[in-house]
Amino acid sequence: MTKHFIPLDRAVSFVDPPDHARVRSVVAPYFTQRGIDRHRIRAHQLMEERCRELEAVGAPADLVRHVISPFALGMISEVMGIPAGDQPQIRAWAQTILTRASDDAQALRAEEAKQAARAYFSSLAAQRRAEPREDVMSALVAAVDAGRIDEEELLALATLMGLNGWHAVCNNVTNMMFVLLTQPQLRDWLHRHPGQILPAVDELLRWIPHKHGVGQPRVATEDVEVGGVLIREGEFVYVSYVAANWDERVYPDPGRIDFERKGLPHVAFGFGPHACVGPLLARMEAEILVNTLTGRFPTMRLAVPSENVAWQTDVLIRGPVDLPVTWSPSR
Ligand code: HEM
């Protein structure tokens, strides 16, 4: 997918069973429905702060800068235990590392950012070792101390979750808002069905082609037949969840967004042992962002023609650079 490698070498994405489950099991309890629900009240508080800032700035304003990006960063930081003052630095590292390096100078900058993020999480781990809290960083430290994982596994997982947890939600929800702002019939549907936000979020996750690349290759460890195709030991397989989500044998008329679609779940979060760690967190964030923005700013619309919205071209997950919006004050 890229000439220069994106995640840290020991990241969970590259680990096979049984080590893979050993590492993931440390953080899994924090991403269950119960684990995520603990953050719901704080999520609403953060969203309220973001809406107030948007209102204070006034129309037109950039929805990514004032609402979606800081909210997504605030939420993953809340779960991980990253202090507010460190969050801008996390975002800067994520943007550098998750942007495809097109030359050696950029690759070097990304490598430096990876090392800086690694050092940062190492020092945060030391703080949590001295003073544990109810957060993922403290759980990772406790697992190192109990001999369940080693320090390198802690650093690779913390970096992956801290950086991707912002990047993925920020870009996916910005995509969702772009879709809703350019297809008013979908917003009308949401207003008419206020209790149906989660199925709507899932249909948007299915429909949005979120990745620039097809993802990480899998390597067959033995001959295996999948869907009538023989894959020989050592061969590479690129699994495109984006293509799978538009498979017309599974989702009739896949290019149409249908909030009443019934049937098989989508695979935007992957499938199998390596499926995403954070779907419930991502869904809760998307639900609160979309629900609050469409409910509180019913007249919100793009402040520029949709074709003038600029898209990031070199990042891992697609998304607009910014989303200039305007609205009429409603209260
Ligand atoms: C809408 C937002 C998100 C989407 C669409 C998304 C999607 C994905 C996908 C497609 C994968 C790869 C699955 C595979 O290799 O088969 C993945 C992996 C992963 N995601 Fe997410 N993700 C999102 C948000 C998050 C968040 C908020 C976190 C924070 C914890 C997170 C943490 C991870 C981790 C740690 C992995 C690696 C899992 C493994 O290899 O075992 N993701 N995600």
Side-chain angles (χ1 to χ4, degrees), residues 265-318:
H266 61 76
V267 286
F269 293 110
F271 186 77
H274 283 279
C276 181
V277 168
L280 297 176
L281 174 62
R283 280 197 180 93
M284 179 179 77
E285 291 184 47
E287 173 204 334
I288 292 175
L289 274 162
V290 170
N291 218 9
T292 311
L293 287 172
T294 51
R296 187 152 166 169
F297 301 91
T299 60
M300 188 177 274
R301 59 195 183 280
L302 281 180
V304 296
S306 59
E307 58 276 16
N308 289 5
V309 170
W311 292 75
Q312 308 176 79
T313 51
D314 287 332
V315 285
L316 187 66
I317 296 182
R318 286 174 66 252

Side-chain angles (χ1 to χ4, degrees), residues 12-13 20 24 31 76 157 160-161 164-165 168-169 172 205 210-211 216 218 241 267-271 273-278 281-282 285:
V12 74
S13 330
H20 177 255
R24 264 185 78 135
F31 294 94
I76 188 65
L157 188 53
L160 180 63
M161 289 193 298
N164 277 48
V169 174
N172 270 292
L205 281 164
H210 67 278
K211 272 206 170 181
Q216 277 142 201
R218 303 292 205 268
Y241 297 126
V267 286
F269 293 110
F271 186 77
H274 283 279
C276 181
V277 168
L281 174 62
E285 291 184 47

Side-chain angles (χ1 to χ4, degrees), residues 251-275:
Y251 312 102
D253 196 5
R256 195 168 68 87
I257 299 175
D258 177 2
F259 288 158
E260 294 175 30
R261 199 181 278 280
K262 304 269 184 290
L264 288 174
H266 61 76
V267 286
F269 293 110
F271 186 77
H274 283 279

